[in-house]
Amino acid sequence: MFFFGKKHPHQLTVLPHPALCPEGEIVPAIPGRSVAEILLQNRVEIDHSCQLQCACTTCHVHIMEGAQHLSPMEADERRMLDKVPGRDGFSRLACQAVFQGGGNVVVEIP
Ligand code: FES
């Protein structure tokens, strides 16, 4: 059973993903780091074909809670997200969404 309780002062909760983290994961969220950096530093191997340069869309995630704790979306990210077939109102590029502190974030990797 996935544990949704609080473990860190600020945390990033990754919902279960069959290949990347079948049980889900709760990892410390570090202000100033992007969601992709936080995931990769905690061995959640999200795709990042352009090496976090906002030049692909392989790091597409859904921010299910806590979007207000991330940096605002900029024009380059918005332009790239327009190419993602499954984009919705929760979509971000994990490499461009920088955790700013102040609360917790819940991420779904599509
Ligand atoms: S890793 Fe390419 S856009 Fe994020």
Side-chain angles (χ1 to χ4, degrees):
M1 185 68 173
F2 185 66
F3 176 69
F4 283 96
K6 191 165 178 71
K7 296 168 91 175
H8 308 286
H10 297 296
Q11 63 191 29
L12 194 153
T13 300
V14 189
L15 299 179
H17 180 280
L20 299 179
C21 57
E23 305 291 319
E25 197 70 62
I26 296 175
V27 301
I30 301 165
R33 302 257 171 91
S34 71
V35 170
E37 290 172 321
I38 292 168
L39 293 174
L40 292 167
Q41 285 167 356
N42 288 280
R43 294 180 297 282
V44 178
E45 298 294 331
I46 187 172
D47 286 342
H48 54 290
S49 294
C50 73
Q51 305 303 316
L52 316 180
Q53 298 300 308
C54 196
C56 70
T57 58
T58 58
C59 69
H60 173 226
V61 294
H62 295 130
I63 305 298
M64 305 309 294
E65 292 179 21
Q68 71 273 25
H69 304 306
L70 301 173
S71 59
M73 188 183 301
E74 302 215 355
D76 284 350
E77 180 184 359
R78 192 176 313 279
R79 181 173 41 79
M80 292 303 292
L81 273 174
D82 284 344
K83 302 175 183 178
V84 175
R87 178 189 182 178
D88 61 26
F90 300 100
S91 291
R92 293 292 308 261
L93 294 179
C95 70
Q96 301 302 301
V98 176
F99 180 64
Q100 300 191 308
N104 303 317
V105 176
V106 177
V107 177
E108 177 188 67
I109 303 172

XYZ file of all heavy atoms in Angstrom:
847
model
N 0.849 -1.198 0.000
C 0.000 0.000 0.000
C 0.879 1.240 0.000
O 1.824 1.344 0.765
C -0.908 -0.044 1.233
C -1.918 1.076 1.303
S -3.134 0.902 -0.007
C -4.270 2.172 0.414
N 0.569 2.177 -0.863
C 1.349 3.400 -0.959
C 1.062 4.290 0.244
O -0.069 4.464 0.657
C 0.993 4.115 -2.252
C 1.825 5.333 -2.499
C 3.182 5.201 -2.725
C 1.269 6.579 -2.489
C 3.969 6.313 -2.948
C 2.034 7.699 -2.717
C 3.394 7.562 -2.945
N 2.131 4.846 0.807
C 2.007 5.680 1.994
C 2.010 7.144 1.578
O 2.972 7.635 1.016
C 3.169 5.383 2.943
C 3.177 6.256 4.160
C 2.194 6.117 5.121
C 4.156 7.218 4.330
C 2.202 6.924 6.240
C 4.165 8.022 5.450
C 3.182 7.877 6.407
N 0.925 7.857 1.858
C 0.815 9.253 1.455
C 1.122 10.201 2.605
O 0.939 11.390 2.476
C -0.588 9.544 0.904
C -0.777 9.031 -0.488
C -1.372 7.807 -0.706
C -0.337 9.756 -1.574
C -1.548 7.329 -1.986
C -0.500 9.289 -2.861
C -1.104 8.072 -3.067
N 1.588 9.705 3.741
C 1.850 10.567 4.887
C 3.044 11.468 4.657
O 3.761 11.363 3.679
N 3.284 12.368 5.596
C 4.353 13.347 5.466
C 5.641 12.789 6.045
O 5.681 12.312 7.156
C 3.939 14.612 6.186
C 4.824 15.791 5.914
C 4.107 17.048 6.374
C 4.964 18.254 6.161
N 5.116 18.607 4.765
N 6.748 12.894 5.255
C 8.030 12.376 5.698
C 9.104 13.448 5.741
O 10.094 13.295 6.429
C 8.502 11.264 4.752
C 7.603 10.048 4.757
C 7.949 9.115 3.609
C 8.956 8.083 4.011
N 9.196 7.098 2.936
N 8.957 14.511 4.966
C 9.993 15.541 4.836
C 9.364 16.917 5.055
O 8.163 17.084 4.856
C 10.617 15.480 3.442
C 11.091 14.118 3.064
N 12.224 13.556 3.588
C 10.556 13.194 2.227
C 12.385 12.347 3.078
N 11.392 12.100 2.255
N 10.177 17.940 5.418
C 9.621 19.283 5.615
C 8.853 19.771 4.384
O 7.775 20.331 4.496
C 10.862 20.135 5.865
C 11.904 19.200 6.337
C 11.597 17.869 5.695
N 9.455 19.571 3.213
C 8.757 19.786 1.951
C 8.979 18.527 1.144
O 10.103 18.025 1.083
C 9.330 20.975 1.178
C 9.165 22.268 1.902
N 7.935 22.805 2.181
C 10.072 23.114 2.418
C 8.097 23.945 2.829
N 9.378 24.156 2.987
N 7.954 18.059 0.533
C 8.121 16.796 -0.168
C 7.415 16.794 -1.509
O 6.479 17.552 -1.740
C 7.651 15.631 0.690
C 6.187 15.657 1.027
C 5.838 14.622 2.089
O 6.656 14.269 2.929
N 4.625 14.113 2.028
N 7.938 15.935 -2.341
C 7.365 15.705 -3.647
C 6.874 14.259 -3.651
O 7.650 13.339 -3.406
C 8.436 15.936 -4.717
C 7.989 16.065 -6.161
C 8.974 16.910 -6.927
C 7.879 14.704 -6.782
N 5.597 14.094 -3.844
C 4.995 12.766 -3.886
C 4.817 12.360 -5.334
O 4.217 13.111 -6.116
C 3.633 12.767 -3.174
O 3.812 13.160 -1.813
C 2.976 11.396 -3.232
N 5.361 11.224 -5.703
C 5.215 10.698 -7.048
C 4.165 9.595 -6.997
O 4.334 8.616 -6.243
C 6.545 10.127 -7.587
C 6.416 9.787 -9.058
C 7.685 11.102 -7.354
N 3.120 9.754 -7.755
C 2.092 8.708 -7.785
C 2.658 7.472 -8.467
O 3.583 7.560 -9.280
C 0.856 9.228 -8.519
C 0.190 10.454 -7.871
C -1.019 10.904 -8.696
C -0.227 10.155 -6.430
N 2.145 6.301 -8.123
C 2.687 5.073 -8.707
C 2.682 5.100 -10.244
O 1.724 5.541 -10.865
C 1.734 3.991 -8.171
C 1.220 4.556 -6.887
C 1.078 6.037 -7.141
N 3.799 4.653 -10.799
C 3.965 4.510 -12.248
C 4.478 3.099 -12.482
O 5.448 2.681 -11.834
C 4.966 5.544 -12.764
C 5.198 5.481 -14.239
N 6.028 4.549 -14.824
C 4.695 6.239 -15.247
C 6.031 4.737 -16.128
N 5.232 5.746 -16.406
N 3.881 2.335 -13.388
C 4.221 0.915 -13.499
C 5.698 0.645 -13.752
O 6.237 -0.338 -13.231
C 3.353 0.425 -14.664
C 2.766 1.630 -15.300
C 2.851 2.755 -14.321
N 6.378 1.494 -14.501
C 7.783 1.220 -14.827
C 8.751 1.995 -13.932
O 9.776 1.469 -13.513
C 8.043 1.577 -16.293
N 8.435 3.240 -13.642
C 9.413 4.112 -12.982
C 9.378 4.039 -11.463
O 10.422 4.184 -10.811
C 9.208 5.562 -13.431
C 9.394 5.815 -14.929
C 9.137 7.264 -15.263
C 10.788 5.396 -15.369
N 8.209 3.863 -10.891
C 8.112 3.705 -9.425
C 6.773 3.048 -9.105
O 5.800 3.725 -8.784
C 8.306 5.034 -8.688
S 7.182 6.344 -9.146
N 6.742 1.731 -9.202
C 5.479 0.994 -9.063
C 4.758 1.227 -7.738
O 3.535 1.114 -7.679
C 5.911 -0.480 -9.198
C 7.237 -0.435 -9.869
C 7.871 0.870 -9.530
N 5.515 1.527 -6.699
C 4.890 1.729 -5.386
C 4.604 3.202 -5.109
O 4.106 3.542 -4.040
C 5.822 1.204 -4.281
C 6.244 -0.245 -4.456
C 5.075 -1.181 -4.233
O 4.287 -0.940 -3.311
O 4.950 -2.156 -4.995
N 4.997 4.084 -6.021
C 4.974 5.506 -5.720
C 6.191 5.856 -4.890
O 6.957 4.971 -4.464
N 6.389 7.133 -4.674
C 7.598 7.567 -3.957
C 7.314 8.904 -3.278
O 6.558 9.716 -3.799
C 8.734 7.742 -4.973
C 10.106 7.789 -4.416
C 10.576 6.459 -3.867
O 10.675 5.479 -4.625
O 10.831 6.413 -2.653
N 7.915 9.090 -2.124
C 7.884 10.393 -1.453
C 9.328 10.809 -1.250
O 10.100 10.088 -0.612
C 7.142 10.320 -0.109
C 5.678 9.953 -0.337
C 7.241 11.667 0.613
C 4.887 9.745 0.944
N 9.702 11.954 -1.820
C 11.100 12.380 -1.783
C 11.176 13.819 -1.273
O 10.209 14.576 -1.388
C 11.754 12.254 -3.174
C 11.691 10.813 -3.673
C 11.114 13.187 -4.174
N 12.317 14.215 -0.719
C 12.438 15.600 -0.269
C 12.440 16.560 -1.443
O 13.101 16.309 -2.445
C 13.783 15.624 0.471
C 14.502 14.382 0.094
C 13.510 13.412 -0.440
N 11.688 17.635 -1.313
C 11.642 18.679 -2.347
C 12.580 19.799 -1.928
O 12.443 20.360 -0.853
C 10.216 19.185 -2.518
N 13.518 20.111 -2.781
C 14.546 21.093 -2.449
C 14.280 22.375 -3.231
O 14.273 22.359 -4.465
C 15.939 20.530 -2.781
C 16.155 19.255 -1.979
C 17.026 21.559 -2.512
C 17.299 18.411 -2.458
N 14.057 23.495 -2.534
C 13.811 24.754 -3.237
C 14.953 25.091 -4.198
O 16.135 24.898 -3.883
C 13.719 25.780 -2.103
C 13.262 24.986 -0.917
C 13.940 23.650 -1.071
N 14.587 25.556 -5.379
C 15.580 25.911 -6.387
C 15.887 24.799 -7.361
O 16.590 25.018 -8.351
N 15.379 23.604 -7.109
C 15.591 22.478 -8.029
C 14.307 22.208 -8.799
O 13.205 22.354 -8.282
C 15.971 21.215 -7.250
C 17.224 21.397 -6.415
C 18.423 20.740 -7.067
N 19.653 21.087 -6.375
C 20.181 20.393 -5.372
N 19.586 19.324 -4.943
N 21.295 20.799 -4.810
N 14.481 21.787 -10.035
C 13.301 21.462 -10.840
C 12.726 20.117 -10.404
O 13.418 19.296 -9.779
C 13.673 21.412 -12.325
O 14.465 20.270 -12.600
N 11.489 19.901 -10.772
C 10.851 18.607 -10.481
C 11.675 17.485 -11.090
O 11.898 16.448 -10.457
C 9.400 18.603 -11.004
C 8.795 17.203 -10.950
C 8.545 19.590 -10.202
N 12.168 17.674 -12.313
C 12.972 16.628 -12.959
C 14.252 16.365 -12.164
O 14.630 15.210 -11.953
C 13.312 17.032 -14.394
N 14.926 17.420 -11.734
C 16.150 17.220 -10.952
C 15.850 16.476 -9.657
O 16.602 15.575 -9.264
C 16.791 18.575 -10.630
C 17.391 19.259 -11.836
C 17.841 20.672 -11.531
O 17.144 21.401 -10.784
O 18.899 21.061 -12.060
N 14.772 16.841 -8.996
C 14.405 16.173 -7.738
C 14.121 14.697 -7.995
O 14.585 13.824 -7.260
C 13.199 16.881 -7.088
C 13.611 18.279 -6.613
C 12.643 16.060 -5.935
C 12.442 19.182 -6.222
N 13.369 14.412 -9.058
C 13.062 13.006 -9.368
C 14.344 12.228 -9.663
O 14.564 11.146 -9.104
C 12.112 12.930 -10.560
C 10.699 13.474 -10.334
C 9.916 13.471 -11.645
C 9.968 12.684 -9.265
N 15.173 12.757 -10.527
C 16.382 12.031 -10.937
C 17.338 11.836 -9.764
O 17.977 10.780 -9.635
C 17.072 12.775 -12.081
C 16.283 12.779 -13.403
C 16.876 13.793 -14.372
C 16.247 11.385 -14.025
N 17.436 12.838 -8.897
C 18.312 12.705 -7.729
C 17.821 11.637 -6.763
O 18.575 11.180 -5.911
C 18.429 14.047 -7.008
C 19.323 15.021 -7.761
C 19.212 16.442 -7.247
O 18.416 16.744 -6.367
N 20.011 17.316 -7.816
N 16.556 11.279 -6.897
C 15.980 10.267 -6.021
C 15.667 8.972 -6.765
O 14.803 8.207 -6.370
C 14.741 10.839 -5.325
C 15.118 11.854 -4.281
O 15.509 11.499 -3.177
N 15.042 13.134 -4.634
N 16.357 8.758 -7.869
C 16.311 7.511 -8.623
C 14.948 7.212 -9.244
O 14.593 6.075 -9.470
C 16.786 6.338 -7.768
C 18.265 6.453 -7.403
C 18.756 5.304 -6.555
N 18.097 5.217 -5.266
C 18.368 5.994 -4.221
N 19.291 6.920 -4.299
N 17.713 5.838 -3.093
N 14.179 8.260 -9.486
C 12.975 8.105 -10.310
C 13.394 8.573 -11.701
O 13.520 9.770 -11.964
C 11.790 8.936 -9.766
C 10.577 8.782 -10.684
C 11.453 8.514 -8.334
N 13.665 7.634 -12.582
C 14.358 7.906 -13.848
C 13.399 8.390 -14.937
O 13.195 7.722 -15.954
C 15.125 6.660 -14.284
C 16.203 6.228 -13.305
C 17.352 7.239 -13.180
O 17.617 7.947 -14.168
O 17.957 7.319 -12.101
N 12.876 9.558 -14.728
C 11.988 10.165 -15.723
C 12.784 10.433 -17.006
O 13.972 10.782 -16.958
C 11.367 11.469 -15.152
C 10.318 12.016 -16.103
C 12.444 12.489 -14.817
C 9.520 13.179 -15.515
N 12.111 10.258 -18.149
C 12.770 10.564 -19.422
C 13.160 12.033 -19.457
O 12.428 12.902 -18.948
C 11.827 10.281 -20.600
C 11.669 8.795 -20.861
O 12.515 8.014 -20.385
O 10.686 8.429 -21.530
N 14.310 12.308 -20.084
C 14.767 13.714 -20.204
C 15.728 13.795 -21.393
O 16.905 14.087 -21.248
C 15.410 14.201 -18.907
C 16.528 13.348 -18.389
N 16.343 12.100 -17.866
C 17.850 13.586 -18.317
C 17.505 11.604 -17.503
N 18.443 12.486 -17.775
N 15.169 13.552 -22.562
C 15.978 13.387 -23.769
C 16.857 14.582 -24.090
O 17.938 14.429 -24.644
C 15.078 13.098 -24.970
O 14.452 11.852 -24.787
N 16.405 15.788 -23.786
C 17.209 16.973 -24.125
C 18.080 17.427 -22.958
O 18.626 18.536 -22.994
C 16.308 18.108 -24.603
S 15.353 18.884 -23.283
N 18.188 16.570 -21.948
C 19.033 16.897 -20.777
C 18.551 18.158 -20.067
O 19.329 19.025 -19.680
C 20.503 17.006 -21.167
C 21.053 15.777 -21.862
C 20.881 14.517 -20.996
O 21.135 14.532 -19.799
N 20.433 13.422 -21.610
N 17.241 18.269 -19.910
C 16.612 19.308 -19.086
C 16.728 20.708 -19.699
O 16.771 21.694 -18.973
C 17.173 19.292 -17.649
C 17.327 17.916 -16.982
C 17.892 18.068 -15.574
C 16.022 17.155 -16.938
N 16.737 20.767 -21.031
C 16.945 22.053 -21.713
C 15.673 22.623 -22.349
O 15.767 23.542 -23.170
C 18.027 21.883 -22.790
C 19.375 21.477 -22.240
C 19.924 22.494 -21.254
O 19.989 23.684 -21.562
N 20.294 22.046 -20.063
N 14.522 22.104 -22.041
C 13.253 22.592 -22.611
C 13.259 22.487 -24.137
O 12.758 23.366 -24.845
C 12.965 24.031 -22.173
S 11.242 24.549 -22.433
N 13.831 21.400 -24.642
C 13.922 21.219 -26.083
C 13.291 19.906 -26.547
O 13.435 19.536 -27.708
C 15.382 21.277 -26.516
N 12.622 19.198 -25.640
C 11.868 18.000 -26.024
C 10.573 18.058 -25.199
O 10.254 19.104 -24.674
C 12.675 16.738 -25.732
S 12.883 16.351 -23.980
N 9.863 16.976 -25.119
C 8.710 16.968 -24.210
C 8.684 15.675 -23.396
O 7.652 15.330 -22.822
C 7.391 17.114 -24.988
O 7.295 16.048 -25.943
C 7.319 18.450 -25.711
N 9.807 14.987 -23.346
C 9.814 13.666 -22.720
C 9.662 13.730 -21.200
O 9.371 12.711 -20.571
C 11.093 12.895 -23.073
O 12.230 13.659 -22.647
C 11.185 12.634 -24.564
N 9.842 14.893 -20.612
C 9.710 15.018 -19.151
C 8.323 15.516 -18.749
O 8.137 15.966 -17.620
C 10.787 15.942 -18.598
S 10.568 17.673 -19.083
N 7.359 15.387 -19.658
C 5.986 15.837 -19.365
C 5.440 15.125 -18.127
O 5.527 13.903 -18.010
C 5.096 15.536 -20.586
C 3.646 15.782 -20.358
N 2.675 14.884 -20.733
C 2.990 16.818 -19.788
C 1.487 15.362 -20.422
N 1.648 16.534 -19.835
N 4.902 15.910 -17.204
C 4.248 15.367 -16.006
C 2.939 16.110 -15.777
O 2.684 17.164 -16.372
C 5.135 15.516 -14.737
C 6.386 14.658 -14.848
C 5.480 16.976 -14.456
N 2.128 15.550 -14.910
C 0.940 16.233 -14.415
C 1.196 16.614 -12.961
O 1.588 15.758 -12.161
C -0.296 15.329 -14.498
C -0.686 14.989 -15.896
N -0.932 13.708 -16.311
C -0.854 15.782 -16.977
C -1.248 13.724 -17.595
N -1.209 14.965 -18.017
N 0.973 17.865 -12.634
C 1.080 18.335 -11.252
C -0.331 18.274 -10.662
O -1.188 19.107 -10.961
C 1.652 19.767 -11.177
C 2.990 19.850 -11.906
C 1.758 20.221 -9.729
C 4.091 18.977 -11.349
N -0.549 17.261 -9.830
C -1.893 17.012 -9.322
C -2.226 17.883 -8.116
O -3.400 18.174 -7.859
C -2.054 15.528 -8.970
C -1.718 14.592 -10.133
S -2.562 15.024 -11.684
C -4.261 14.704 -11.255
N -1.212 18.265 -7.355
C -1.395 19.182 -6.218
C -0.130 20.009 -6.079
O 0.963 19.536 -6.397
C -1.624 18.411 -4.904
C -2.926 17.678 -4.829
C -3.087 16.921 -3.507
O -2.408 17.276 -2.515
O -3.875 15.971 -3.493
N -0.273 21.200 -5.574
C 0.883 22.014 -5.214
C 1.491 22.797 -6.360
O 2.621 23.274 -6.236
N 0.759 22.989 -7.445
C 1.316 23.748 -8.578
C 1.737 25.155 -8.164
O 2.658 25.730 -8.745
C 0.293 23.809 -9.713
N 1.094 25.682 -7.146
C 1.432 27.040 -6.687
C 2.807 27.111 -6.050
O 3.339 28.204 -5.846
C 0.357 27.568 -5.718
C 0.332 26.899 -4.362
C -0.537 25.631 -4.312
O -0.763 24.970 -5.318
N -1.008 25.302 -3.113
N 3.400 25.965 -5.754
C 4.733 25.939 -5.151
C 5.835 25.809 -6.202
O 7.008 25.662 -5.849
C 4.843 24.791 -4.145
C 3.793 24.841 -3.093
N 3.573 25.945 -2.307
C 2.866 23.928 -2.713
C 2.572 25.713 -1.488
N 2.127 24.495 -1.710
N 5.443 25.852 -7.472
C 6.407 25.729 -8.568
C 6.527 27.061 -9.302
O 5.624 27.898 -9.260
C 5.943 24.642 -9.550
C 5.773 23.245 -8.946
C 5.162 22.307 -9.972
C 7.094 22.711 -8.416
N 7.634 27.230 -9.986
C 7.823 28.434 -10.783
C 6.730 28.530 -11.845
O 6.225 27.509 -12.321
C 9.194 28.395 -11.454
O 9.294 27.238 -12.277
N 6.339 29.747 -12.200
C 5.315 29.905 -13.233
C 5.810 29.396 -14.585
O 7.004 29.391 -14.856
C 5.084 31.419 -13.289
C 5.891 32.031 -12.214
C 6.829 31.007 -11.657
N 4.857 28.990 -15.415
C 5.208 28.508 -16.744
C 5.634 29.682 -17.629
O 4.961 30.707 -17.675
C 4.006 27.794 -17.362
C 4.344 27.097 -18.655
S 2.905 26.319 -19.422
C 2.386 25.175 -18.144
N 6.735 29.515 -18.316
C 7.209 30.567 -19.216
C 6.867 30.211 -20.658
O 6.406 29.110 -20.953
C 8.707 30.750 -19.031
C 9.011 31.087 -17.574
C 10.155 32.033 -17.387
O 10.818 32.393 -18.372
O 10.373 32.424 -16.233
N 7.098 31.163 -21.553
C 6.659 31.014 -22.943
C 7.283 29.795 -23.624
O 6.603 29.073 -24.359
C 6.977 32.277 -23.728
N 8.565 29.531 -23.393
C 9.221 28.387 -24.037
C 8.573 27.072 -23.618
O 8.346 26.181 -24.444
C 10.713 28.353 -23.687
C 11.499 29.399 -24.454
O 10.938 30.019 -25.379
O 12.680 29.597 -24.123
N 8.303 26.946 -22.324
C 7.664 25.718 -21.842
C 6.269 25.585 -22.447
O 5.879 24.512 -22.892
C 7.598 25.724 -20.312
C 6.946 24.465 -19.756
C 6.784 24.491 -18.250
O 7.190 25.479 -17.601
O 6.240 23.503 -17.719
N 5.532 26.683 -22.474
C 4.169 26.649 -23.028
C 4.209 26.220 -24.496
O 3.416 25.399 -24.949
C 3.536 28.036 -22.877
C 2.048 28.068 -23.138
C 1.473 29.456 -22.877
N 1.902 30.059 -21.614
C 1.381 29.795 -20.414
N 0.411 28.906 -20.309
N 1.835 30.394 -19.334
N 5.179 26.755 -25.234
C 5.312 26.423 -26.657
C 5.630 24.936 -26.829
O 5.064 24.265 -27.687
C 6.409 27.285 -27.280
C 6.649 27.070 -28.750
C 7.627 28.089 -29.333
N 8.760 28.389 -28.467
C 9.840 27.608 -28.328
N 9.937 26.495 -29.009
N 10.813 27.955 -27.514
N 6.507 24.396 -26.007
C 6.834 22.974 -26.102
C 5.643 22.111 -25.691
O 5.353 21.090 -26.312
C 8.048 22.645 -25.221
C 9.355 23.242 -25.698
S 9.791 22.777 -27.397
C 10.125 21.043 -27.190
N 4.934 22.520 -24.641
C 3.792 21.721 -24.188
C 2.690 21.660 -25.238
O 1.924 20.693 -25.281
C 3.237 22.298 -22.886
C 3.894 21.807 -21.597
C 3.346 22.581 -20.410
C 3.727 20.311 -21.396
N 2.612 22.678 -26.079
C 1.607 22.653 -27.146
C 1.796 21.455 -28.075
O 0.880 21.066 -28.791
C 1.666 23.947 -27.970
C 1.033 25.118 -27.233
O 0.291 24.888 -26.254
O 1.290 26.267 -27.637
N 2.963 20.838 -28.070
C 3.251 19.678 -28.919
C 2.891 18.353 -28.257
O 3.016 17.305 -28.879
C 4.748 19.652 -29.272
C 5.227 20.911 -29.971
C 6.718 20.880 -30.181
C 7.204 22.169 -30.823
N 8.647 22.212 -31.003
N 2.505 18.381 -26.976
C 2.241 17.144 -26.239
C 0.799 16.714 -26.472
O -0.126 17.453 -26.125
C 2.498 17.352 -24.729
C 2.114 16.112 -23.942
C 3.947 17.731 -24.482
N 0.586 15.518 -27.038
C -0.783 15.077 -27.326
C -1.685 15.017 -26.085
O -2.830 15.394 -26.143
C -0.587 13.673 -27.920
C 0.822 13.647 -28.413
C 1.597 14.577 -27.532
N -1.160 14.538 -24.971
C -2.004 14.373 -23.785
C -1.985 15.563 -22.850
O -2.349 15.446 -21.691
N -1.622 16.716 -23.351
C -1.538 17.895 -22.480
C -2.906 18.227 -21.881
O -3.934 18.154 -22.554
C -1.039 19.084 -23.283
C -0.989 20.322 -22.438
C -0.704 21.554 -23.233
N -0.636 22.679 -22.322
C -0.370 23.914 -22.680
N -0.146 24.192 -23.935
N -0.330 24.859 -21.792
N -2.881 18.629 -20.617
C -4.108 19.121 -19.994
C -3.744 20.233 -19.020
O -2.590 20.689 -18.980
C -4.892 17.984 -19.321
C -4.107 17.299 -18.220
O -3.209 17.944 -17.636
O -4.398 16.126 -17.933
N -4.699 20.666 -18.252
C -4.486 21.790 -17.353
C -3.502 21.516 -16.239
O -3.068 22.439 -15.546
N -3.126 20.242 -16.039
C -2.168 19.873 -14.999
C -0.755 19.709 -15.554
O 0.171 19.430 -14.819
C -2.597 18.560 -14.322
C -3.941 18.628 -13.663
C -5.065 18.110 -14.283
C -4.096 19.219 -12.415
C -6.310 18.172 -13.674
C -5.329 19.287 -11.796
C -6.450 18.766 -12.436
N -0.612 19.857 -16.859
C 0.661 19.535 -17.514
C 1.751 20.556 -17.219
O 1.504 21.765 -17.232
C 0.464 19.454 -19.027
O -0.301 18.325 -19.367
N 2.961 20.027 -16.994
C 4.190 20.824 -16.934
C 5.315 19.991 -17.535
O 5.227 18.774 -17.608
C 4.581 21.164 -15.485
C 3.669 22.099 -14.734
C 3.655 23.535 -15.233
N 4.928 24.185 -15.368
C 5.453 25.031 -14.473
N 4.791 25.298 -13.376
N 6.616 25.621 -14.706
N 6.366 20.689 -17.940
C 7.613 20.000 -18.243
C 8.401 19.966 -16.939
O 8.699 21.025 -16.349
C 8.390 20.725 -19.333
C 7.719 20.740 -20.707
C 8.582 21.513 -21.708
C 7.446 19.325 -21.212
N 8.732 18.764 -16.497
C 9.354 18.621 -15.177
C 10.677 19.370 -15.074
O 11.056 19.817 -13.995
C 9.559 17.135 -14.860
N 11.357 19.537 -16.198
C 12.654 20.222 -16.144
C 12.506 21.733 -16.018
O 13.480 22.424 -15.705
C 13.507 19.877 -17.353
S 12.920 20.564 -18.913
N 11.303 22.247 -16.257
C 11.093 23.691 -16.199
C 10.310 24.133 -14.968
O 10.236 25.326 -14.671
C 10.365 24.151 -17.466
C 11.117 23.842 -18.741
C 12.498 24.472 -18.739
O 12.642 25.687 -18.621
N 13.545 23.650 -18.836
N 9.722 23.193 -14.276
C 8.927 23.490 -13.086
C 9.851 23.426 -11.873
O 10.218 22.349 -11.408
C 7.791 22.483 -12.962
N 10.235 24.583 -11.380
C 11.213 24.651 -10.281
C 10.473 24.795 -8.959
O 9.633 25.699 -8.796
C 12.180 25.837 -10.497
C 13.135 25.981 -9.318
C 12.951 25.651 -11.800
N 10.807 23.907 -8.041
C 10.195 23.967 -6.709
C 10.674 25.214 -5.988
O 11.868 25.480 -5.913
C 10.545 22.707 -5.912
C 9.948 22.701 -4.540
C 8.576 22.674 -4.369
C 10.751 22.740 -3.415
C 8.012 22.683 -3.095
C 10.207 22.746 -2.144
C 8.825 22.715 -1.988
N 9.707 25.971 -5.443
C 10.057 27.235 -4.809
C 9.871 27.223 -3.306
O 10.027 28.259 -2.661
C 9.223 28.355 -5.444
C 9.480 28.456 -6.943
C 8.895 29.692 -7.565
O 7.726 29.980 -7.397
N 9.731 30.427 -8.268
N 9.519 26.076 -2.758
C 9.297 25.988 -1.316
C 7.863 26.341 -0.963
O 7.055 26.695 -1.820
N 7.548 26.218 0.309
C 6.248 26.654 0.795
C 5.189 25.590 0.866
O 4.093 25.851 1.383
N 5.452 24.401 0.398
C 4.435 23.359 0.467
C 4.845 22.131 -0.306
O 5.977 22.021 -0.756
N 3.919 21.229 -0.432
C 4.202 19.937 -1.047
C 3.596 19.856 -2.440
O 2.656 20.563 -2.767
C 3.639 18.827 -0.161
C 4.206 18.907 1.239
O 5.405 19.129 1.416
N 3.347 18.768 2.230
N 4.168 18.968 -3.229
C 3.780 18.823 -4.631
C 3.507 17.347 -4.911
O 4.250 16.480 -4.446
C 4.904 19.337 -5.561
C 4.549 19.108 -7.016
C 5.173 20.821 -5.304
N 2.442 17.086 -5.629
C 2.101 15.718 -6.036
C 2.209 15.639 -7.556
O 1.597 16.433 -8.281
C 0.682 15.325 -5.567
C 0.332 13.918 -6.062
C 0.574 15.416 -4.050
N 2.999 14.673 -8.022
C 3.321 14.544 -9.439
C 2.833 13.195 -9.968
O 3.033 12.158 -9.328
C 4.852 14.632 -9.653
C 5.211 14.430 -11.122
C 5.383 15.960 -9.153
N 2.221 13.234 -11.136
C 1.880 12.011 -11.867
C 2.713 11.998 -13.134
O 2.729 12.983 -13.885
C 0.398 12.010 -12.213
C 0.005 10.801 -13.040
C -1.429 10.937 -13.539
O -1.680 11.832 -14.378
O -2.271 10.156 -13.076
N 3.395 10.900 -13.380
C 4.150 10.735 -14.622
C 3.244 9.965 -15.592
O 2.900 8.818 -15.312
C 5.463 9.975 -14.377
C 6.306 10.709 -13.331
C 6.241 9.823 -15.696
C 7.537 9.930 -12.869
N 2.820 10.611 -16.695
C 1.880 9.933 -17.598
C 2.511 8.777 -18.350
O 3.714 8.647 -18.421
C 1.441 11.043 -18.544
C 2.410 12.160 -18.404
C 3.153 11.957 -17.118
S 13.956 17.115 -20.553
Fe 13.529 17.903 -22.511
S 11.976 19.358 -22.118
Fe 12.426 18.594 -20.171
